[in-house]
Amino acid sequence: MAKDQLQVLNALDVAKTQWYHFTAIIIAGMGFFTDAYDLFCISLVTKLLGRIYYHVPGSPKPGTLPPNVAAAVNGVAFCGTLAGQLFFGWLGDKLGRKKVYGMTLMVMVICSIASGLSFGHEPKAVMATLCFFRFWLGFGIGGDYPLSATIMSEYANKKTRGAFIAAVFAMQGFGIMAGGIFAIIISSAFEAKFPAPAYADDALGSTVSQADFVWRIILMVGAIPASMTYYSRSKMPETARYTALVAKDAKQAASDMSRVLQVEIEAEQQKVEEISKDKSKAFSLFSKEFMKRHGLHLLGTTSTWFLLDIAFYSQNLFQKDIFSAIGWIPPAQTMNAIQEVFKIARAQTLIALCSTVPGYWFTVAFIDVIGRFAIQLMGFFFMTVFMFALAIPYNHWTHKENRIGFVVMYSLTFFFANFGPNATTFVVPAEIFPARFRSTCHGISAASGKLGAMVGAFGFLYLAQSPDKAKTDAGYPPGIGVRNSLIVLGVVNFLGILFTFLVPESKGKSLEEMSGENEEDENSNSDSRTVPIV
């Protein structure tokens, strides 16, 4: 099959792991690091925003964001991300990966800074401007998903491609952790400089006026890692697969890659033209031919990512409530505003350190050994098991003496999300579609995931409320309770197991082999009159 492959692509496939692979991982990975920091840092400051802007005089508990505001602040970035994944994914196939990659970064830098500068002092004005810039921040982040994955898959060799793409994704773990660590540092510094009494002792005095800077600084720092990689991104050559197979410029592809790989590569313009003349490859996205070849694959990648994100993001969002329920975070009225940020950040960092980060790197280590399919199946299976194990004896876990057991089980669910479908759903769509649709299809799959994230994030804000009206959070209608919510999540993960069977295994195969961009060549080259077999 390699005989019909362009020499430049073959050179990339068989290249030994070398320095340019690592620079590509760092450049693409820093984008992901920033994405995770920006998306997850909001959950560190939502309680603080409630205390500052929604304080109710005389209330026994500190102010909290009203349900509709909480949903908007937490979720508006997801809406932006979904739009960005579809738009920039499509643009990446039209204009080239590299061009669009710089755009997404600029959007992220500008909107990170702007989201900390929300205007006015009125709660409405601050929340409206915060939501506006978080939407556009999400839009930039969305573009990073399909482009980072596609660039990495097109640069990698076939032996360790899975590990490289997973390593880019694994930077997300460090981003979540960095968000937590930075919030710990900032809140400690402010607490030392501006000590304040607990809410129960002095309701008004527990939130010092300087607390307003805390959340702004935490949000704005997201611009720093993104801006650091801007120069490196602009110096990175366009991927050879885009240049040769989509832009049809063999000469440019060969010269770019001979510079990167430091070997002599001949430009095979004639072969590129032959490939582009092949009518069997001229089908468009969502045409009958596309559906016949890749329809089930696209259904597999979109459905598994959708189901995974329902579970993954609902956990992240009722994480702080779980911590309060099991006593890791003391009751809000016993702390001042800045102490609360510190405690929430500490809990999130511990979870990231113990389960999130190790899970990602287990995937990096094993994805090219046991394959994508096995990891995804195993991850969904264990997530199902642990969700039911948390849900069925839920009452048992709420007792003080069983807290540690609950946290261990909860961490294991996270560990198997990351050493499982959270990483593989990102890797596979970047490998199994033809070059001219690769970025678009990855964007569609990722957007489907974000749709799941919204279901998880918003659905469970309401679902996890206590069925008893007296025990619900301010402004929420009664829900089905945490226990039943966990049962629903167990069922969602079980469906993930079933849909995983639609996704093909791409371990050790070249991208052209996976996408079927090679097989027609063989048929058309061996005998120009034969109709290519599909």
Side-chain angles (χ1 to χ4, degrees), residues 156-494:
N157 55 34
K158 60 184 177 187
K159 211 162 109 204
T160 51
R161 186 180 59 235
F164 288 158
I165 307 173
V168 168
F169 192 62
M171 294 297 279
Q172 203 176 34
F174 289 127
I176 296 172
M177 208 160 73
I181 291 169
F182 185 69
I184 288 172
I185 294 166
I186 289 290
S187 55
S188 307
F190 271 76
E191 175 62 17
K193 190 96 173 71
F194 310 108
Y199 184 87
D201 303 334
D202 177 358
L204 213 53
S206 69
T207 307
V208 291
S209 60
Q210 289 84 357
D212 199 42
F213 294 121
V214 172
W215 69 270
R216 294 174 188 274
I217 293 169
I218 290 171
L219 294 185
M220 287 165 82
V221 162
I224 296 171
S227 49
M228 277 162 43
T229 54
Y230 185 74
Y231 177 75
S232 325
R233 278 194 188 190
S234 60
K235 286 277 159 280
M236 212 175 173
E238 179 57 86
T239 72
R241 287 183 159 90
Y242 182 84
T243 314
L245 298 174
V246 186
K248 319 237 185 300
D249 186 347
K251 198 165 169 221
Q252 186 62 46
S255 82
D256 283 347
M257 289 310 112
S258 41
R259 207 169 63 240
V260 168
L261 293 164
Q262 307 195 325
V263 291
E264 207 42 60
I265 297 172
E266 65 170 295
E268 303 164 289
Q269 191 60 40
Q270 193 191 346
K271 203 181 249 188
V272 166
E273 275 155 22
E274 266 173 38
I275 292 172
S276 60
K277 277 193 198 110
D278 187 345
K279 287 286 175 280
S280 67
K281 288 198 196 158
F283 59 90
S284 57
L285 188 65
F286 299 131
S287 62
K288 211 164 162 187
E289 186 66 19
F290 174 85
M291 285 315 203
K292 193 163 135 195
R293 295 174 183 223
H294 303 292
L296 279 178
H297 297 164
L298 192 59
L299 176 65
T301 57
T302 49
S303 57
T304 49
W305 206 334
F306 175 76
L307 293 162
L308 172 270
D309 271 7
I310 292 179
F312 189 74
Y313 282 90
S314 63
Q315 287 180 346
N316 262 316
L317 290 167
F318 62 86
Q319 196 169 352
K320 49 180 182 286
D321 305 317
I322 285 181
F323 290 143
S324 304
I326 61 168
W328 263 26
I329 295 172
Q333 58 272 27
T334 63
M335 299 179 280
N336 67 37
I338 292 173
Q339 281 167 342
E340 189 173 35
V341 174
F342 175 85
K343 293 269 175 29
I344 292 171
R346 188 184 63 178
Q348 187 163 315
T349 308
L350 281 170
I351 280 282
L353 192 63
C354 302
S355 69
T356 313
V357 172
Y360 284 122
W361 292 101
F362 263 78
T363 305
V364 174
F366 291 108
I367 191 164
D368 288 311
V369 181
I370 57 179
R372 290 77 167 137
F373 179 78
I375 289 179
Q376 188 161 311
L377 207 58
M378 174 199 70
F380 269 131
F381 172 75
F382 282 114
M383 283 170 78
T384 310
V385 169
F386 288 121
M387 281 295 184
F388 285 132
L390 285 174
I392 294 162
Y394 183 68
N395 200 23
H396 164 83
W397 297 118
T398 52
H399 299 308
K400 211 171 173 131
E401 64 276 14
N402 304 325
R403 266 184 209 162
I404 298 300
F406 185 92
V407 173
V408 169
M409 300 279 278
Y410 182 70
S411 298
L412 281 169
T413 319
F414 252 132
F415 174 80
F416 281 108
N418 295 319
F419 179 33
N422 196 29
T424 53
T425 50
F426 177 79
V427 173
V428 174
E431 302 182 310
I432 62 177
F433 298 107
R436 64 185 187 284
F437 306 136
R438 190 168 289 135
S439 168
T440 309
C441 288
H442 194 285
I444 293 168
S445 306
S448 167
K450 273 295 162 284
L451 203 59
M454 285 186 224
V455 172
F458 302 129
F460 285 91
L461 261 180
Y462 290 88
L463 276 182
Q465 294 299 326
S466 165
D468 178 357
K469 186 95 182 86
K471 291 185 184 161
T472 59
D473 293 344
Y476 285 92
I480 59 171
V482 176
R483 177 176 184 252
N484 292 343
S485 299
L486 288 166
I487 291 176
V488 172
L489 290 174
V491 173
V492 165
N493 291 325
F494 180 72

